[in-house]
Amino acid sequence: MPKYSMSEDNVEEKQEKEQPSVIIHEELCKACGLCIIHCPKDILEASDKINELGYPTTVVAKDGCIGCANCYLICPEPGAVTVKKP
Amino acid sequence: MTKVFEKSPAFFDTFTRKPSMQKTTHYCPGCGHGTLNKIIADQIAELGLQDQTIFVGPVGCGVFIYYYFESASVSAAHGRASAVATGVSRANPDSVTISYQGDGDLAAIGTSNAIHAANRGENMIVFFVNNNIYGMTGGQLAPTTLIDQTSTTSPTGRTVLNDGHPLKMAEMVAGLEAPVLSARVAVNTPRNVRQAVKVIKRGLEIQRDKKGYAFIEVLSQCPTNWKKESKEACDWIDEVVCKQYPIGVIKDVADQREAQIRLAERVEFEALADQLGLTTDDEDTSQKIEMLQDELRFKFAGFGGQGILSLGMMMAQMSMEQNMEVTWLPSYGPEMRGGVANCSVVVGKKAIGSPAIESPNVLVALNRPSLEKFGPLVPEEGLIIYNSSLIDQVPDNLKGQVYALPATDLASDAGTVKAANAVVLGFVARKTGMFQLSDLENFLRETFKKPAMLETNLKAVLAGWNAAEKD
C-alpha cells in the first residue's frame, strides 16, 4: 500500500484515484450463485467456464463495484471473493 | 485507508493439515457452514485472538474445522463437544475456547452436555449451527426440524403429536442463570451476516474478558438436504425458518458480570506417575531375561488360523513369567475363519508406553501379504523371520536381517501343520536369546494338557530351535 499523509486533501485525492474492486477467485468458486443475486450493481455473472472443481464459475462481468462487500459476506467459500474498498 | 475483505489469516490458505492439501472446504455449494467459518475467522483475527483460540469440533458436517482454522483444535465424540470444551477451558484458563456444534450434535445426542456446560457458566463460546436437519447422515429428522418440514425420516412432515415441538435452544439457554449471552443469528443474507458478525464479535470479546458462557445459534441453510437451490434455501430461512426461530439477541448480561477464572490445579506428571505406581526407574532385579534393548517389539502376522494370536500370547506369557513388562494387542478381521490376523507384543524392562507398534524389531510373517505389509517397517538391526514354506518371493525393499524358516514344512514333519506357530516360537526364542530350551519345555508342559498335543508341540518347538542353530 502506498504511503501518503493523512491530511484530508490527500485522502480525498486518493479516493478519487482508486476505485473499489472485486475479485472472484474462480478456482475456489462452487457456483452457488449467492453473490450474483446480492450484488446491488449486478456486475457478477455466472459463466460457462468450468473450473477444476467442476463448477461453472462466477465472473466479474462489468465495472462498477461500489465495495459494499455483500458478495464477500454471503459467499460460503472462505477465500473465494476478495473486495477492496479504498 | 483501503479496507480489504479477503480470506482471514486465522483460516488456512491451503489446508496443510489435510493430506490432499486442498484449498477449498468440503462444504456443499451454498452451505451456511462456510459463511460462518469465514466470519468467525475474520473476528478472531480482528480481535487478535488467534494464538489463544482452541476449537472443539463436533461430529457432523462441521467435523473438519480442525483442517480449516489455523488454531489449536480438538475433536470430540458425537455430542460431547461442550463437555470436552469444559475440560479444555479449565485446563487452559488463558485460552478462548470455541465449541462448534450442529443441531444433531448439540440438540439431540449432546443435549445434556450442552445444557450443563451452559448451566455451569463455563468460559466458552458455543456456535450452534441449526439447519433443522441431520445434514451429514443424509437429512433425517432432528429435534430442531420445523413443524410440517419433511425429512427422510418424516416424509409426510413433522407433527407435534408424533415428534414434539422444535427445540428452541437459544431460548432454553437464555432461561438459565449462568450464561451471559444467548443469541440467534442467520447467515442467509448479507444483512443477516452483518448482524451475525456483530454478535460473534460480542461473544468473542466476552471470551477474551473471561465473562463466562456465550451461546450463539446460527440458522444455516442446507441446500443439499432441503433439496433446494442455494437461493431458494436462503429465502426459505427468511420466509419460514425465522418465523419459528426468531433471530435476535435474547440475553446479554455480560456488562453486569465480573470476569471469572476457575483455577485448575495442575498435576505434574511425576506426581501422577507416583500415584499410579509407575515411578520405578531402578532396575527390577527379579527380571530374568537378559535383553540387549530396553524394549523388544514383536509383530506376528499371517492368515487367520495359523495360530498367530496364540503365538503372540505364548511369547507374552512366557516373558511375563520371567517378570518382564509385557503387552499383547491382537488385530484381526471380522471373518470367522480365513482373513488376515496380526498381533503386537511388546516385551520391556520398564513400563511400556504404548502397545501399538510402528516399527517392529522382530517380525514373524507367516504369509506373503504380511511380509509385504510389515517387512519394510522393520529397521536395519531388526529381525525378519518369514515362512519360506508359503512365501516364494521376498520383497526387495527389506532393511532388516532376513531369515527364511520353512515353518509349515517343519510343523508337518513334527505331526501337524497347525504347529507352525510352535516352530516359530522355538526359532524366535533362540534367535533373540530370550529363553532357554528348558523354559520352552516347561511352558509347553503347563499349556498343553493332552499328551498327544504336547508331544507334537514339543517336537515342533525343537525343530524351530534346531533350525535357528543352523543359520
PDB file of all heavy atoms in Angstrom, chain A residues 4 30 32 37-38 68 70 72-78 82-85, chain B residues 1 3 5-7 24-25 27 30-31 34-35 38 42 188 190 194 231:
ATOM      1  N   TYR A   4       0.907   7.632   2.256  1.00  0.00           N
ATOM      2  CA  TYR A   4       0.547   9.015   1.994  1.00  0.00           C
ATOM      3  C   TYR A   4       0.180   9.658   3.319  1.00  0.00           C
ATOM      4  O   TYR A   4      -0.201   8.970   4.268  1.00  0.00           O
ATOM      5  CB  TYR A   4      -0.597   9.123   0.986  1.00  0.00           C
ATOM      6  CG  TYR A   4      -1.817   8.304   1.338  1.00  0.00           C
ATOM      7  CD1 TYR A   4      -2.843   8.838   2.092  1.00  0.00           C
ATOM      8  CD2 TYR A   4      -1.931   6.978   0.910  1.00  0.00           C
ATOM      9  CE1 TYR A   4      -3.944   8.088   2.426  1.00  0.00           C
ATOM     10  CE2 TYR A   4      -3.024   6.240   1.236  1.00  0.00           C
ATOM     11  CZ  TYR A   4      -4.041   6.785   1.989  1.00  0.00           C
ATOM     12  OH  TYR A   4      -5.130   6.048   2.300  1.00  0.00           O
ATOM     13  N   LYS A  30     -17.737 -22.373  -6.069  1.00  0.00           N
ATOM     14  CA  LYS A  30     -18.588 -23.559  -6.180  1.00  0.00           C
ATOM     15  C   LYS A  30     -19.914 -23.246  -6.858  1.00  0.00           C
ATOM     16  O   LYS A  30     -20.844 -24.052  -6.816  1.00  0.00           O
ATOM     17  CB  LYS A  30     -18.825 -24.169  -4.798  1.00  0.00           C
ATOM     18  CG  LYS A  30     -17.581 -24.825  -4.203  1.00  0.00           C
ATOM     19  CD  LYS A  30     -17.879 -25.376  -2.824  1.00  0.00           C
ATOM     20  CE  LYS A  30     -16.656 -26.011  -2.194  1.00  0.00           C
ATOM     21  NZ  LYS A  30     -16.868 -26.235  -0.762  1.00  0.00           N
ATOM     22  N   CYS A  32     -22.573 -21.402  -6.260  1.00  0.00           N
ATOM     23  CA  CYS A  32     -23.874 -21.407  -5.594  1.00  0.00           C
ATOM     24  C   CYS A  32     -24.720 -20.232  -6.068  1.00  0.00           C
ATOM     25  O   CYS A  32     -25.949 -20.256  -5.942  1.00  0.00           O
ATOM     26  CB  CYS A  32     -23.724 -21.360  -4.084  1.00  0.00           C
ATOM     27  SG  CYS A  32     -23.030 -19.827  -3.455  1.00  0.00           S
ATOM     28  N   ILE A  37     -26.950 -12.803  -6.823  1.00  0.00           N
ATOM     29  CA  ILE A  37     -28.248 -12.213  -6.504  1.00  0.00           C
ATOM     30  C   ILE A  37     -28.140 -11.084  -5.480  1.00  0.00           C
ATOM     31  O   ILE A  37     -29.037 -10.250  -5.391  1.00  0.00           O
ATOM     32  CB  ILE A  37     -29.258 -13.273  -6.013  1.00  0.00           C
ATOM     33  CG1 ILE A  37     -28.716 -13.993  -4.778  1.00  0.00           C
ATOM     34  CG2 ILE A  37     -29.600 -14.244  -7.105  1.00  0.00           C
ATOM     35  CD1 ILE A  37     -29.746 -14.885  -4.133  1.00  0.00           C
ATOM     36  N   HIS A  38     -27.035 -11.043  -4.722  1.00  0.00           N
ATOM     37  CA  HIS A  38     -26.931  -9.997  -3.713  1.00  0.00           C
ATOM     38  C   HIS A  38     -26.097  -8.802  -4.155  1.00  0.00           C
ATOM     39  O   HIS A  38     -25.906  -7.876  -3.386  1.00  0.00           O
ATOM     40  CB  HIS A  38     -26.383 -10.575  -2.400  1.00  0.00           C
ATOM     41  CG  HIS A  38     -27.390 -11.427  -1.695  1.00  0.00           C
ATOM     42  ND1 HIS A  38     -28.544 -10.926  -1.162  1.00  0.00           N
ATOM     43  CD2 HIS A  38     -27.437 -12.770  -1.462  1.00  0.00           C
ATOM     44  CE1 HIS A  38     -29.248 -11.897  -0.607  1.00  0.00           C
ATOM     45  NE2 HIS A  38     -28.599 -13.035  -0.792  1.00  0.00           N
ATOM     46  N   CYS A  68     -19.391  -2.688  -1.489  1.00  0.00           N
ATOM     47  CA  CYS A  68     -20.319  -2.936  -0.374  1.00  0.00           C
ATOM     48  C   CYS A  68     -19.988  -4.231   0.348  1.00  0.00           C
ATOM     49  O   CYS A  68     -20.401  -4.452   1.475  1.00  0.00           O
ATOM     50  CB  CYS A  68     -21.752  -2.987  -0.890  1.00  0.00           C
ATOM     51  SG  CYS A  68     -22.110  -4.439  -1.914  1.00  0.00           S
ATOM     52  N   ASN A  70     -21.111  -7.139  -0.062  1.00  0.00           N
ATOM     53  CA  ASN A  70     -22.194  -8.120   0.053  1.00  0.00           C
ATOM     54  C   ASN A  70     -21.744  -9.496  -0.434  1.00  0.00           C
ATOM     55  O   ASN A  70     -22.030 -10.508   0.177  1.00  0.00           O
ATOM     56  CB  ASN A  70     -23.386  -7.670  -0.813  1.00  0.00           C
ATOM     57  CG  ASN A  70     -24.346  -6.799  -0.042  1.00  0.00           C
ATOM     58  OD1 ASN A  70     -24.091  -6.481   1.120  1.00  0.00           O
ATOM     59  ND2 ASN A  70     -25.434  -6.421  -0.675  1.00  0.00           N
ATOM     60  N   TYR A  72     -18.734 -10.657  -0.627  1.00  0.00           N
ATOM     61  CA  TYR A  72     -17.763 -11.257   0.301  1.00  0.00           C
ATOM     62  C   TYR A  72     -18.490 -11.885   1.483  1.00  0.00           C
ATOM     63  O   TYR A  72     -18.205 -13.011   1.889  1.00  0.00           O
ATOM     64  CB  TYR A  72     -16.779 -10.192   0.801  1.00  0.00           C
ATOM     65  CG  TYR A  72     -15.906 -10.708   1.916  1.00  0.00           C
ATOM     66  CD1 TYR A  72     -14.802 -11.501   1.635  1.00  0.00           C
ATOM     67  CD2 TYR A  72     -16.207 -10.448   3.246  1.00  0.00           C
ATOM     68  CE1 TYR A  72     -14.026 -12.019   2.642  1.00  0.00           C
ATOM     69  CE2 TYR A  72     -15.442 -10.964   4.264  1.00  0.00           C
ATOM     70  CZ  TYR A  72     -14.347 -11.745   3.965  1.00  0.00           C
ATOM     71  OH  TYR A  72     -13.585 -12.266   4.974  1.00  0.00           O
ATOM     72  N   LEU A  73     -19.458 -11.154   2.044  1.00  0.00           N
ATOM     73  CA  LEU A  73     -20.127 -11.620   3.254  1.00  0.00           C
ATOM     74  C   LEU A  73     -20.979 -12.854   3.004  1.00  0.00           C
ATOM     75  O   LEU A  73     -21.050 -13.752   3.834  1.00  0.00           O
ATOM     76  CB  LEU A  73     -20.999 -10.495   3.828  1.00  0.00           C
ATOM     77  CG  LEU A  73     -20.225  -9.347   4.467  1.00  0.00           C
ATOM     78  CD1 LEU A  73     -21.159  -8.196   4.791  1.00  0.00           C
ATOM     79  CD2 LEU A  73     -19.507  -9.801   5.733  1.00  0.00           C
ATOM     80  N   ILE A  74     -21.640 -12.926   1.864  1.00  0.00           N
ATOM     81  CA  ILE A  74     -22.576 -14.027   1.636  1.00  0.00           C
ATOM     82  C   ILE A  74     -21.868 -15.260   1.067  1.00  0.00           C
ATOM     83  O   ILE A  74     -22.382 -16.376   1.159  1.00  0.00           O
ATOM     84  CB  ILE A  74     -23.745 -13.589   0.725  1.00  0.00           C
ATOM     85  CG1 ILE A  74     -24.949 -14.544   0.865  1.00  0.00           C
ATOM     86  CG2 ILE A  74     -23.345 -13.492  -0.728  1.00  0.00           C
ATOM     87  CD1 ILE A  74     -25.570 -14.565   2.239  1.00  0.00           C
ATOM     88  N   CYS A  75     -20.694 -15.102   0.506  1.00  0.00           N
ATOM     89  CA  CYS A  75     -20.016 -16.242  -0.142  1.00  0.00           C
ATOM     90  C   CYS A  75     -19.702 -17.335   0.871  1.00  0.00           C
ATOM     91  O   CYS A  75     -19.027 -17.093   1.852  1.00  0.00           O
ATOM     92  CB  CYS A  75     -18.721 -15.791  -0.817  1.00  0.00           C
ATOM     93  SG  CYS A  75     -17.845 -17.189  -1.559  1.00  0.00           S
ATOM     94  N   PRO A  76     -20.186 -18.550   0.650  1.00  0.00           N
ATOM     95  CA  PRO A  76     -19.950 -19.618   1.616  1.00  0.00           C
ATOM     96  C   PRO A  76     -18.554 -20.252   1.510  1.00  0.00           C
ATOM     97  O   PRO A  76     -18.242 -21.105   2.321  1.00  0.00           O
ATOM     98  CB  PRO A  76     -21.013 -20.657   1.280  1.00  0.00           C
ATOM     99  CG  PRO A  76     -21.925 -20.022   0.305  1.00  0.00           C
ATOM    100  CD  PRO A  76     -21.123 -18.989  -0.396  1.00  0.00           C
ATOM    101  N   GLU A  77     -17.760 -19.855   0.548  1.00  0.00           N
ATOM    102  CA  GLU A  77     -16.439 -20.473   0.431  1.00  0.00           C
ATOM    103  C   GLU A  77     -15.380 -19.458   0.861  1.00  0.00           C
ATOM    104  O   GLU A  77     -15.109 -18.497   0.126  1.00  0.00           O
ATOM    105  CB  GLU A  77     -16.190 -20.932  -1.010  1.00  0.00           C
ATOM    106  CG  GLU A  77     -14.893 -21.685  -1.217  1.00  0.00           C
ATOM    107  CD  GLU A  77     -14.762 -22.924  -0.339  1.00  0.00           C
ATOM    108  OE1 GLU A  77     -15.767 -23.621  -0.102  1.00  0.00           O
ATOM    109  OE2 GLU A  77     -13.650 -23.185   0.127  1.00  0.00           O
ATOM    110  N   PRO A  78     -14.781 -19.647   2.053  1.00  0.00           N
ATOM    111  CA  PRO A  78     -13.810 -18.658   2.513  1.00  0.00           C
ATOM    112  C   PRO A  78     -12.689 -18.485   1.493  1.00  0.00           C
ATOM    113  O   PRO A  78     -12.125 -19.462   1.016  1.00  0.00           O
ATOM    114  CB  PRO A  78     -13.276 -19.278   3.807  1.00  0.00           C
ATOM    115  CG  PRO A  78     -14.352 -20.202   4.255  1.00  0.00           C
ATOM    116  CD  PRO A  78     -14.981 -20.727   3.010  1.00  0.00           C
ATOM    117  N   THR A  82     -12.552 -11.568  -2.970  1.00  0.00           N
ATOM    118  CA  THR A  82     -11.793 -10.502  -2.321  1.00  0.00           C
ATOM    119  C   THR A  82     -12.397  -9.176  -2.766  1.00  0.00           C
ATOM    120  O   THR A  82     -12.631  -8.976  -3.957  1.00  0.00           O
ATOM    121  CB  THR A  82     -10.312 -10.554  -2.735  1.00  0.00           C
ATOM    122  OG1 THR A  82      -9.795 -11.825  -2.368  1.00  0.00           O
ATOM    123  CG2 THR A  82      -9.511  -9.468  -2.034  1.00  0.00           C
ATOM    124  N   VAL A  83     -12.671  -8.297  -1.789  1.00  0.00           N
ATOM    125  CA  VAL A  83     -13.211  -6.979  -2.113  1.00  0.00           C
ATOM    126  C   VAL A  83     -12.271  -5.927  -1.540  1.00  0.00           C
ATOM    127  O   VAL A  83     -11.850  -6.038  -0.387  1.00  0.00           O
ATOM    128  CB  VAL A  83     -14.630  -6.785  -1.533  1.00  0.00           C
ATOM    129  CG1 VAL A  83     -15.101  -5.357  -1.750  1.00  0.00           C
ATOM    130  CG2 VAL A  83     -15.603  -7.766  -2.158  1.00  0.00           C
ATOM    131  N   LYS A  84     -11.914  -4.957  -2.350  1.00  0.00           N
ATOM    132  CA  LYS A  84     -11.086  -3.850  -1.871  1.00  0.00           C
ATOM    133  C   LYS A  84     -11.918  -2.585  -1.891  1.00  0.00           C
ATOM    134  O   LYS A  84     -12.524  -2.252  -2.909  1.00  0.00           O
ATOM    135  CB  LYS A  84      -9.859  -3.677  -2.760  1.00  0.00           C
ATOM    136  CG  LYS A  84      -8.812  -4.712  -2.466  1.00  0.00           C
ATOM    137  CD  LYS A  84      -7.559  -4.471  -3.276  1.00  0.00           C
ATOM    138  CE  LYS A  84      -6.618  -5.659  -3.105  1.00  0.00           C
ATOM    139  NZ  LYS A  84      -5.728  -5.808  -4.245  1.00  0.00           N
ATOM    140  N   LYS A  85     -11.962  -1.919  -0.740  1.00  0.00           N
ATOM    141  CA  LYS A  85     -12.745  -0.687  -0.657  1.00  0.00           C
ATOM    142  C   LYS A  85     -11.825   0.430  -0.170  1.00  0.00           C
ATOM    143  O   LYS A  85     -11.488   0.483   1.010  1.00  0.00           O
ATOM    144  CB  LYS A  85     -13.903  -0.865   0.304  1.00  0.00           C
ATOM    145  CG  LYS A  85     -14.864   0.304   0.244  1.00  0.00           C
ATOM    146  CD  LYS A  85     -15.973   0.135   1.250  1.00  0.00           C
ATOM    147  CE  LYS A  85     -16.978   1.265   1.087  1.00  0.00           C
ATOM    148  NZ  LYS A  85     -18.006   1.202   2.120  1.00  0.00           N
TER     149      LYS A  85
ATOM    150  N   MET B   1      -7.620   4.994   3.742  1.00  0.00           N
ATOM    151  CA  MET B   1      -7.199   3.644   4.133  1.00  0.00           C
ATOM    152  C   MET B   1      -8.064   2.611   3.396  1.00  0.00           C
ATOM    153  O   MET B   1      -9.290   2.642   3.482  1.00  0.00           O
ATOM    154  CB  MET B   1      -7.399   3.536   5.664  1.00  0.00           C
ATOM    155  CG  MET B   1      -6.848   2.298   6.324  1.00  0.00           C
ATOM    156  SD  MET B   1      -5.080   2.144   6.220  1.00  0.00           S
ATOM    157  CE  MET B   1      -4.864   0.529   6.901  1.00  0.00           C
ATOM    158  N   LYS B   3      -9.901  -0.694   2.786  1.00  0.00           N
ATOM    159  CA  LYS B   3     -10.367  -1.857   3.554  1.00  0.00           C
ATOM    160  C   LYS B   3     -10.435  -3.033   2.607  1.00  0.00           C
ATOM    161  O   LYS B   3     -11.044  -2.959   1.538  1.00  0.00           O
ATOM    162  CB  LYS B   3     -11.742  -1.553   4.160  1.00  0.00           C
ATOM    163  CG  LYS B   3     -12.344  -2.713   4.913  1.00  0.00           C
ATOM    164  CD  LYS B   3     -12.855  -2.270   6.289  1.00  0.00           C
ATOM    165  CE  LYS B   3     -13.505  -3.418   7.067  1.00  0.00           C
ATOM    166  NZ  LYS B   3     -12.559  -4.439   7.518  1.00  0.00           N
ATOM    167  N   PHE B   5     -11.460  -6.939   2.111  1.00  0.00           N
ATOM    168  CA  PHE B   5     -12.180  -8.113   2.610  1.00  0.00           C
ATOM    169  C   PHE B   5     -11.597  -9.323   1.895  1.00  0.00           C
ATOM    170  O   PHE B   5     -11.774  -9.461   0.686  1.00  0.00           O
ATOM    171  CB  PHE B   5     -13.673  -8.001   2.293  1.00  0.00           C
ATOM    172  CG  PHE B   5     -14.353  -6.814   2.902  1.00  0.00           C
ATOM    173  CD1 PHE B   5     -14.388  -5.593   2.232  1.00  0.00           C
ATOM    174  CD2 PHE B   5     -14.956  -6.919   4.142  1.00  0.00           C
ATOM    175  CE1 PHE B   5     -15.028  -4.501   2.806  1.00  0.00           C
ATOM    176  CE2 PHE B   5     -15.598  -5.829   4.706  1.00  0.00           C
ATOM    177  CZ  PHE B   5     -15.628  -4.620   4.038  1.00  0.00           C
ATOM    178  N   GLU B   6     -10.917 -10.170   2.634  1.00  0.00           N
ATOM    179  CA  GLU B   6     -10.326 -11.357   1.986  1.00  0.00           C
ATOM    180  C   GLU B   6     -10.191 -12.470   3.012  1.00  0.00           C
ATOM    181  O   GLU B   6     -10.564 -12.303   4.168  1.00  0.00           O
ATOM    182  CB  GLU B   6      -8.955 -11.005   1.380  1.00  0.00           C
ATOM    183  CG  GLU B   6      -7.965 -10.577   2.424  1.00  0.00           C
ATOM    184  CD  GLU B   6      -6.626 -10.168   1.831  1.00  0.00           C
ATOM    185  OE1 GLU B   6      -6.429 -10.373   0.628  1.00  0.00           O
ATOM    186  OE2 GLU B   6      -5.801  -9.663   2.591  1.00  0.00           O
ATOM    187  N   LYS B   7      -9.667 -13.597   2.561  1.00  0.00           N
ATOM    188  CA  LYS B   7      -9.536 -14.746   3.456  1.00  0.00           C
ATOM    189  C   LYS B   7      -8.708 -14.364   4.680  1.00  0.00           C
ATOM    190  O   LYS B   7      -7.619 -13.811   4.548  1.00  0.00           O
ATOM    191  CB  LYS B   7      -8.874 -15.905   2.714  1.00  0.00           C
ATOM    192  CG  LYS B   7      -9.055 -17.250   3.410  1.00  0.00           C
ATOM    193  CD  LYS B   7      -8.292 -18.343   2.667  1.00  0.00           C
ATOM    194  CE  LYS B   7      -9.168 -19.501   2.301  1.00  0.00           C
ATOM    195  NZ  LYS B   7      -8.424 -20.589   1.659  1.00  0.00           N
ATOM    196  N   THR B  24     -10.066 -25.696  -1.021  1.00  0.00           N
ATOM    197  CA  THR B  24     -11.499 -25.470  -0.817  1.00  0.00           C
ATOM    198  C   THR B  24     -12.008 -26.351   0.312  1.00  0.00           C
ATOM    199  O   THR B  24     -11.522 -27.467   0.512  1.00  0.00           O
ATOM    200  CB  THR B  24     -12.301 -25.819  -2.086  1.00  0.00           C
ATOM    201  OG1 THR B  24     -11.783 -27.038  -2.610  1.00  0.00           O
ATOM    202  CG2 THR B  24     -12.196 -24.737  -3.117  1.00  0.00           C
ATOM    203  N   THR B  25     -13.006 -25.839   1.018  1.00  0.00           N
ATOM    204  CA  THR B  25     -13.613 -26.613   2.095  1.00  0.00           C
ATOM    205  C   THR B  25     -14.443 -27.743   1.496  1.00  0.00           C
ATOM    206  O   THR B  25     -14.708 -27.774   0.297  1.00  0.00           O
ATOM    207  CB  THR B  25     -14.551 -25.718   2.920  1.00  0.00           C
ATOM    208  OG1 THR B  25     -15.535 -25.184   2.042  1.00  0.00           O
ATOM    209  CG2 THR B  25     -13.796 -24.572   3.565  1.00  0.00           C
ATOM    210  N   TYR B  27     -17.538 -28.245   2.252  1.00  0.00           N
ATOM    211  CA  TYR B  27     -18.959 -27.910   2.334  1.00  0.00           C
ATOM    212  C   TYR B  27     -19.601 -27.866   0.950  1.00  0.00           C
ATOM    213  O   TYR B  27     -18.975 -27.495  -0.037  1.00  0.00           O
ATOM    214  CB  TYR B  27     -19.140 -26.560   3.032  1.00  0.00           C
ATOM    215  CG  TYR B  27     -18.502 -26.473   4.393  1.00  0.00           C
ATOM    216  CD1 TYR B  27     -17.602 -25.468   4.710  1.00  0.00           C
ATOM    217  CD2 TYR B  27     -18.793 -27.423   5.377  1.00  0.00           C
ATOM    218  CE1 TYR B  27     -17.014 -25.389   5.967  1.00  0.00           C
ATOM    219  CE2 TYR B  27     -18.209 -27.355   6.627  1.00  0.00           C
ATOM    220  CZ  TYR B  27     -17.313 -26.335   6.920  1.00  0.00           C
ATOM    221  OH  TYR B  27     -16.731 -26.267   8.152  1.00  0.00           O
ATOM    222  N   GLY B  30     -23.269 -23.296  -1.388  1.00  0.00           N
ATOM    223  CA  GLY B  30     -24.381 -22.614  -0.740  1.00  0.00           C
ATOM    224  C   GLY B  30     -24.558 -22.910   0.733  1.00  0.00           C
ATOM    225  O   GLY B  30     -25.431 -22.349   1.377  1.00  0.00           O
ATOM    226  N   CYS B  31     -23.738 -23.784   1.297  1.00  0.00           N
ATOM    227  CA  CYS B  31     -23.890 -24.179   2.706  1.00  0.00           C
ATOM    228  C   CYS B  31     -23.511 -23.042   3.647  1.00  0.00           C
ATOM    229  O   CYS B  31     -22.533 -22.347   3.435  1.00  0.00           O
ATOM    230  CB  CYS B  31     -23.024 -25.393   2.981  1.00  0.00           C
ATOM    231  SG  CYS B  31     -22.920 -25.833   4.713  1.00  0.00           S
ATOM    232  N   GLY B  34     -19.724 -22.637   5.662  1.00  0.00           N
ATOM    233  CA  GLY B  34     -18.575 -21.898   5.135  1.00  0.00           C
ATOM    234  C   GLY B  34     -18.660 -20.426   5.483  1.00  0.00           C
ATOM    235  O   GLY B  34     -17.668 -19.816   5.886  1.00  0.00           O
ATOM    236  N   THR B  35     -19.864 -19.870   5.348  1.00  0.00           N
ATOM    237  CA  THR B  35     -20.064 -18.457   5.674  1.00  0.00           C
ATOM    238  C   THR B  35     -19.741 -18.221   7.144  1.00  0.00           C
ATOM    239  O   THR B  35     -19.051 -17.259   7.504  1.00  0.00           O
ATOM    240  CB  THR B  35     -21.531 -18.072   5.398  1.00  0.00           C
ATOM    241  OG1 THR B  35     -21.929 -18.646   4.167  1.00  0.00           O
ATOM    242  CG2 THR B  35     -21.697 -16.581   5.349  1.00  0.00           C
ATOM    243  N   LYS B  38     -16.053 -18.428   7.889  1.00  0.00           N
ATOM    244  CA  LYS B  38     -15.354 -17.240   7.401  1.00  0.00           C
ATOM    245  C   LYS B  38     -15.478 -16.090   8.394  1.00  0.00           C
ATOM    246  O   LYS B  38     -14.489 -15.446   8.741  1.00  0.00           O
ATOM    247  CB  LYS B  38     -15.954 -16.853   6.048  1.00  0.00           C
ATOM    248  CG  LYS B  38     -15.442 -15.565   5.472  1.00  0.00           C
ATOM    249  CD  LYS B  38     -16.173 -15.242   4.187  1.00  0.00           C
ATOM    250  CE  LYS B  38     -17.647 -15.033   4.443  1.00  0.00           C
ATOM    251  NZ  LYS B  38     -18.458 -15.008   3.235  1.00  0.00           N
ATOM    252  N   ASP B  42     -12.619 -14.220  10.608  1.00  0.00           N
ATOM    253  CA  ASP B  42     -12.413 -12.776  10.492  1.00  0.00           C
ATOM    254  C   ASP B  42     -12.357 -12.125  11.871  1.00  0.00           C
ATOM    255  O   ASP B  42     -11.481 -11.306  12.152  1.00  0.00           O
ATOM    256  CB  ASP B  42     -13.578 -12.131   9.714  1.00  0.00           C
ATOM    257  CG  ASP B  42     -13.450 -12.342   8.218  1.00  0.00           C
ATOM    258  OD1 ASP B  42     -12.400 -12.853   7.794  1.00  0.00           O
ATOM    259  OD2 ASP B  42     -14.397 -12.002   7.489  1.00  0.00           O
ATOM    260  N   ASN B 188     -28.063 -16.143   5.971  1.00  0.00           N
ATOM    261  CA  ASN B 188     -28.661 -16.364   4.649  1.00  0.00           C
ATOM    262  C   ASN B 188     -28.662 -15.130   3.757  1.00  0.00           C
ATOM    263  O   ASN B 188     -28.867 -15.243   2.562  1.00  0.00           O
ATOM    264  CB  ASN B 188     -30.092 -16.892   4.801  1.00  0.00           C
ATOM    265  CG  ASN B 188     -30.985 -15.899   5.515  1.00  0.00           C
ATOM    266  OD1 ASN B 188     -30.520 -15.175   6.399  1.00  0.00           O
ATOM    267  ND2 ASN B 188     -32.240 -15.853   5.132  1.00  0.00           N
ATOM    268  N   PRO B 190     -26.762 -10.952   3.179  1.00  0.00           N
ATOM    269  CA  PRO B 190     -25.696 -10.069   3.661  1.00  0.00           C
ATOM    270  C   PRO B 190     -26.124  -9.288   4.899  1.00  0.00           C
ATOM    271  O   PRO B 190     -25.328  -9.077   5.823  1.00  0.00           O
ATOM    272  CB  PRO B 190     -25.451  -9.136   2.474  1.00  0.00           C
ATOM    273  CG  PRO B 190     -25.853  -9.928   1.284  1.00  0.00           C
ATOM    274  CD  PRO B 190     -27.009 -10.778   1.738  1.00  0.00           C
ATOM    275  N   ARG B 194     -24.203  -9.449   8.448  1.00  0.00           N
ATOM    276  CA  ARG B 194     -23.643  -8.283   9.154  1.00  0.00           C
ATOM    277  C   ARG B 194     -24.061  -8.288  10.614  1.00  0.00           C
ATOM    278  O   ARG B 194     -23.265  -8.000  11.506  1.00  0.00           O
ATOM    279  CB  ARG B 194     -24.107  -6.986   8.476  1.00  0.00           C
ATOM    280  CG  ARG B 194     -23.408  -6.734   7.160  1.00  0.00           C
ATOM    281  CD  ARG B 194     -23.609  -5.307   6.664  1.00  0.00           C
ATOM    282  NE  ARG B 194     -22.724  -5.058   5.546  1.00  0.00           N
ATOM    283  CZ  ARG B 194     -23.036  -5.321   4.270  1.00  0.00           C
ATOM    284  NH1 ARG B 194     -24.224  -5.800   3.962  1.00  0.00           N
ATOM    285  NH2 ARG B 194     -22.168  -5.087   3.306  1.00  0.00           N
ATOM    286  N   LYS B 231     -30.339 -20.208  -3.524  1.00  0.00           N
ATOM    287  CA  LYS B 231     -31.143 -19.001  -3.330  1.00  0.00           C
ATOM    288  C   LYS B 231     -32.473 -19.324  -2.648  1.00  0.00           C
ATOM    289  O   LYS B 231     -32.879 -18.678  -1.697  1.00  0.00           O
ATOM    290  CB  LYS B 231     -31.397 -18.326  -4.685  1.00  0.00           C
ATOM    291  CG  LYS B 231     -32.219 -17.061  -4.571  1.00  0.00           C
ATOM    292  CD  LYS B 231     -32.605 -16.507  -5.925  1.00  0.00           C
ATOM    293  CE  LYS B 231     -33.456 -15.253  -5.792  1.00  0.00           C
ATOM    294  NZ  LYS B 231     -34.686 -15.435  -5.007  1.00  0.00           N
TER     295      LYS B 231
END
